[in-house]
Amino acid sequence: MVTEQDVIQRWEELADDEERILFIVGGAGSGKSRLIRDLSVREGWIKFNAKDLVEEDILLVPHTKRQAAVQDNVCKILGSAKADVILLDDVEILFAPILCLDPVTLLKSISKVFPLVVGWKGRKEEGFLFLEHNNNPDYYKHTIEHGQHVISVG
Protein backbone atom coordinates (compact mmCIF):
# COMPACT_ATOMS: atom_id res chain seq x y z
CA MET A 1 0.00 0.00 0.00
CA VAL A 2 1.28 3.46 -0.94
CA THR A 3 1.46 5.86 1.99
CA GLU A 4 1.60 9.62 2.29
CA GLN A 5 5.30 9.26 3.12
CA ASP A 6 5.88 7.30 -0.10
CA VAL A 7 4.34 10.12 -2.12
CA ILE A 8 6.29 12.78 -0.24
CA GLN A 9 9.54 10.90 -0.75
CA ARG A 10 8.88 10.48 -4.48
CA TRP A 11 7.92 14.14 -4.71
CA GLU A 12 11.20 15.19 -3.14
CA GLU A 13 13.08 13.11 -5.74
CA LEU A 14 11.50 14.95 -8.67
CA ALA A 15 10.68 18.38 -7.26
CA ASP A 16 13.59 19.98 -9.13
CA ASP A 17 12.69 18.51 -12.54
CA GLU A 18 11.53 20.88 -15.27
CA GLU A 19 8.14 19.17 -15.27
CA ARG A 20 7.20 19.03 -11.60
CA ILE A 21 4.39 16.53 -11.88
CA LEU A 22 3.62 13.28 -10.09
CA PHE A 23 0.76 11.03 -11.19
CA ILE A 24 -0.90 8.95 -8.46
CA VAL A 25 -2.41 6.14 -10.50
CA GLY A 26 -5.03 3.59 -9.49
CA GLY A 27 -8.43 2.21 -10.30
CA ALA A 28 -11.74 3.24 -8.83
CA GLY A 29 -11.72 2.77 -5.06
CA SER A 30 -7.94 2.28 -4.87
CA GLY A 31 -7.42 5.15 -2.44
CA LYS A 32 -6.10 7.88 -4.76
CA SER A 33 -8.53 10.53 -3.58
CA ARG A 34 -8.10 9.57 0.07
CA LEU A 35 -4.34 9.82 -0.31
CA ILE A 36 -4.70 13.24 -1.94
CA ARG A 37 -7.00 14.45 0.85
CA ASP A 38 -4.58 13.16 3.48
CA LEU A 39 -1.64 14.90 1.79
CA SER A 40 -3.62 18.13 1.75
CA VAL A 41 -4.14 17.93 5.51
CA ARG A 42 -0.66 16.70 6.37
CA GLU A 43 1.41 18.92 4.07
CA GLY A 44 -0.89 21.89 3.60
CA TRP A 45 -0.91 21.33 -0.14
CA ILE A 46 -4.00 22.74 -1.83
CA LYS A 47 -6.47 20.31 -3.43
CA PHE A 48 -8.56 21.06 -6.49
CA ASN A 49 -10.96 18.96 -8.54
CA ALA A 50 -10.26 19.48 -12.24
CA LYS A 51 -13.92 20.26 -12.94
CA ASP A 52 -13.58 23.36 -10.75
CA LEU A 53 -10.80 24.69 -12.98
CA VAL A 54 -12.62 24.49 -16.31
CA GLU A 55 -15.32 27.10 -16.74
CA GLU A 56 -18.33 26.39 -18.89
CA ASP A 57 -17.77 29.44 -21.09
CA ILE A 58 -14.57 27.84 -22.40
CA LEU A 59 -16.83 26.21 -24.99
CA LEU A 60 -17.30 29.66 -26.53
CA VAL A 61 -13.58 29.83 -27.30
CA PRO A 62 -12.62 28.52 -30.76
CA HIS A 63 -11.16 24.99 -30.68
CA THR A 64 -7.80 26.20 -31.92
CA LYS A 65 -7.43 28.58 -28.99
CA ARG A 66 -9.04 26.46 -26.29
CA GLN A 67 -5.91 24.74 -24.94
CA ALA A 68 -4.20 28.08 -24.30
CA ALA A 69 -7.37 29.59 -22.83
CA VAL A 70 -7.82 26.69 -20.41
CA GLN A 71 -4.14 26.83 -19.43
CA ASP A 72 -4.35 30.58 -18.77
CA ASN A 73 -7.50 30.17 -16.69
CA VAL A 74 -6.12 27.24 -14.68
CA CYS A 75 -2.86 29.09 -14.00
CA LYS A 76 -4.82 32.13 -12.83
CA ILE A 77 -6.82 30.03 -10.36
CA LEU A 78 -3.81 28.04 -9.15
CA GLY A 79 -1.77 31.22 -8.76
CA SER A 80 -4.31 32.59 -6.33
CA ALA A 81 -3.92 29.47 -4.17
CA LYS A 82 -0.31 30.31 -3.25
CA ALA A 83 0.52 26.67 -2.50
CA ASP A 84 3.87 24.88 -2.57
CA VAL A 85 2.20 21.94 -4.34
CA ILE A 86 -1.19 21.64 -6.03
CA LEU A 87 -3.12 18.39 -5.65
CA LEU A 88 -5.38 17.81 -8.66
CA ASP A 89 -8.03 15.11 -8.60
CA ASP A 90 -10.76 13.89 -10.95
CA VAL A 91 -8.87 14.88 -14.10
CA GLU A 92 -11.14 12.78 -16.33
CA ILE A 93 -13.12 15.94 -17.17
CA LEU A 94 -10.10 17.28 -19.05
CA PHE A 95 -10.44 14.37 -21.49
CA ALA A 96 -14.02 15.25 -22.51
CA PRO A 97 -14.01 15.35 -26.33
CA ILE A 98 -16.07 18.53 -26.38
CA LEU A 99 -13.23 20.42 -24.70
CA CYS A 100 -10.76 19.59 -27.51
CA LEU A 101 -7.79 19.53 -25.13
CA ASP A 102 -4.55 17.61 -24.98
CA PRO A 103 -4.77 17.04 -21.21
CA VAL A 104 -1.34 15.52 -20.57
CA THR A 105 0.41 18.31 -22.47
CA LEU A 106 -1.75 20.79 -20.56
CA LEU A 107 -0.83 19.27 -17.18
CA LYS A 108 2.86 19.10 -18.05
CA SER A 109 2.88 22.75 -19.14
CA ILE A 110 1.12 23.85 -15.97
CA SER A 111 3.58 21.80 -13.89
CA LYS A 112 6.45 23.97 -15.10
CA VAL A 113 4.84 26.86 -13.19
CA PHE A 114 2.84 25.09 -10.48
CA PRO A 115 4.05 21.79 -9.00
CA LEU A 116 1.29 19.18 -9.47
CA VAL A 117 0.35 15.89 -7.86
CA VAL A 118 -2.38 14.43 -10.07
CA GLY A 119 -4.88 11.70 -9.22
CA TRP A 120 -5.19 9.49 -12.33
CA LYS A 121 -8.00 6.95 -12.53
CA GLY A 122 -6.51 4.09 -14.46
CA ARG A 123 -3.38 2.00 -14.46
CA LYS A 124 0.31 1.93 -15.30
CA GLU A 125 1.28 -0.94 -17.58
CA GLU A 126 4.41 -1.66 -19.64
CA GLY A 127 5.54 1.95 -19.94
CA PHE A 128 2.09 3.42 -20.47
CA LEU A 129 -0.53 5.25 -18.46
CA PHE A 130 -4.08 4.21 -19.21
CA LEU A 131 -6.98 6.46 -18.25
CA GLU A 132 -10.23 4.76 -17.33
CA HIS A 133 -13.35 6.68 -18.32
CA ASN A 134 -17.00 5.66 -18.77
CA ASN A 135 -16.17 2.04 -17.86
CA ASN A 136 -13.54 1.88 -20.60
CA PRO A 137 -10.21 0.94 -18.97
CA ASP A 138 -8.30 1.93 -22.13
CA TYR A 139 -10.04 5.25 -22.87
CA TYR A 140 -6.73 7.08 -23.18
CA LYS A 141 -3.16 5.78 -23.48
CA HIS A 142 -0.07 7.86 -22.77
CA THR A 143 3.59 6.87 -23.03
CA ILE A 144 5.42 7.32 -19.74
CA GLU A 145 8.57 9.32 -20.41
CA HIS A 146 9.85 9.44 -16.84
CA GLY A 147 8.87 6.49 -14.65
CA GLN A 148 9.69 8.36 -11.45
CA HIS A 149 6.76 10.70 -12.24
CA VAL A 150 4.25 7.88 -11.68
CA ILE A 151 3.32 6.08 -8.48
CA SER A 152 0.71 3.29 -8.49
CA VAL A 153 -1.64 2.83 -5.55
CA GLY A 154 -3.41 -0.34 -6.40
Side-chain angles (χ1 to χ4, degrees):
M1 183 173 112
V2 174
T3 66
E4 296 164 46
Q5 191 56 43
D6 295 329
V7 174
I8 293 166
Q9 181 178 347
R10 180 70 62 88
W11 180 254
E12 290 170 352
E13 293 170 5
L14 61 85
D16 293 328
D17 289 2
E18 180 183 5
E19 293 174 353
R20 297 170 299 161
I21 189 166
L22 176 62
F23 293 96
I24 299 176
V25 179
S30 64
K32 299 176 306 299
S33 294
R34 178 197 46 79
L35 190 55
I36 286 173
R37 280 190 306 272
D38 292 349
L39 285 163
S40 177
V41 171
R42 177 178 171 169
E43 297 297 312
W45 297 346
I46 306 297
K47 178 188 175 293
F48 287 92
N49 284 328
K51 67 182 177 186
D52 297 328
L53 301 176
V54 180
E55 297 177 355
E56 193 172 312
D57 62 353
I58 197 65
L59 298 176
L60 301 175
V61 175
H63 294 159
T64 58
K65 297 181 180 183
R66 204 169 283 171
Q67 179 100 359
V70 169
Q71 183 170 334
D72 290 346
N73 188 60
V74 169
C75 286
K76 181 180 172 183
I77 293 169
L78 298 182
S80 68
K82 298 187 182 354
D84 292 334
V85 176
I86 301 293
L87 301 162
L88 188 58
D89 206 6
D90 300 320
V91 296
E92 298 84 30
I93 187 71
L94 300 176
F95 291 84
I98 195 168
L99 292 178
C100 299
L101 299 176
D102 179 350
V104 174
T105 300
L106 175 70
L107 292 170
K108 287 180 174 185
S109 294
I110 291 168
S111 78
K112 293 177 181 179
V113 180
F114 301 100
L116 296 176
V117 175
V118 178
W120 183 279
K121 182 181 174 187
R123 70 188 189 284
K124 174 184 172 184
E125 183 178 302
E126 298 179 7
F128 295 98
L129 275 180
F130 291 89
L131 180 80
E132 180 181 331
H133 185 62
N134 290 336
N135 296 320
N136 179 354
D138 299 333
Y139 181 81
Y140 179 86
K141 179 180 176 181
H142 175 73
T143 302
I144 299 171
E145 297 162 3
H146 307 288
Q148 72 272 22
H149 288 260
V150 178
I151 192 165
S152 297
V153 296

